[in-house]
């Protein structure tokens, strides 16, 4: 079984930028919707961004619209999340995920997704 892995993450000051990467096997793109969700301590999972590979259709949570960009490089089997103008409320563990259900992915895998990575910590200080 191919794994999802998210190197990257880190700590930045408010207003800064980070790019998250997720190594995602080619087989995922043909069978699943892929995206990112996050979870902060004491809060529910939140779907952050998702993409339909074939159509290029994207979804963004209202809280990140205009600041985050999801993209993919299918040749390299990579999924990215470019995060700009970061805010302290963006602090969370970020996961890439894949599921056969679009609604499940954009809901942040609250009921579980078929696959997700181990998560990477993003900390934004004020």
């Amino acid at each position: 079984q191919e794994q999802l892995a998210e190197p990257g993450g880190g700590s930045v000051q408010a207003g800064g930028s980070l790019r998250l990467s997720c190594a995602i096997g080619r087989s995922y793109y043909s069978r699943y919707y892929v995206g990112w969700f996050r979870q902060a301590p004491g809060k529910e999972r939140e779907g952050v961004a998702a993409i339909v590979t074939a159509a290029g259709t994207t979804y963004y949570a209202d809280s990140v619209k205009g600041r985050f960009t999801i993209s993919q490089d299918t040749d390299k089997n990579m999924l990215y999340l470019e995060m700009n103008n970061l805010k302290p409320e963006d602090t969370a563990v970020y996961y890439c995920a894949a599921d056969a259900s679009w609604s499940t992915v954009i809901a942040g895998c609250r009921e579980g997704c078929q696959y997700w990575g181990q998560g990477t910590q993003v900390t934004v200080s004020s």
Side-chain angles (χ1 to χ4, degrees):
Q1 175 179 328
E2 295 173 280
Q3 300 294 314
L4 308 185
E6 313 108 331
S11 298
V12 294
Q13 289 191 325
S17 299
L18 283 173
R19 187 174 83 155
L20 305 183
S21 303
C22 177
I24 185 165
R26 181 176 297 276
S27 64
Y28 287 95
Y29 285 117
S30 63
R31 293 183 290 160
Y32 302 110
Y33 299 105
V34 295
W36 296 88
F37 69 90
R38 65 187 181 186
Q39 188 161 26
K43 294 187 177 181
E44 285 191 313
R45 292 176 181 174
E46 178 187 18
V48 175
I51 189 166
V52 180
T53 299
T57 303
T58 56
Y59 160 82
Y60 294 98
D62 288 342
S63 57
V64 306
K65 278 181 183 176
R67 301 188 298 120
F68 289 14
T69 303
I70 187 171
S71 63
Q72 57 193 10
D73 186 333
T74 53
D75 290 335
K76 296 181 179 178
N77 297 332
M78 295 295 291
L79 183 70
Y80 303 103
L81 185 67
E82 185 76 33
M83 305 184 294
N84 298 312
N85 190 22
L86 282 160
K87 303 176 181 180
E89 51 264 41
D90 294 320
T91 296
V93 179
Y94 285 71
Y95 301 83
C96 62
D99 195 87
S101 166
W102 175 249
S103 60
T104 297
V105 175
I106 67 174
C109 304
R110 291 185 182 180
E111 303 299 322
C113 276
Q114 289 171 284
Y115 301 100
W116 64 89
Q118 79 280 10
T120 186
Q121 177 71 45
V122 171
T123 302
V124 185
S125 58
S126 57

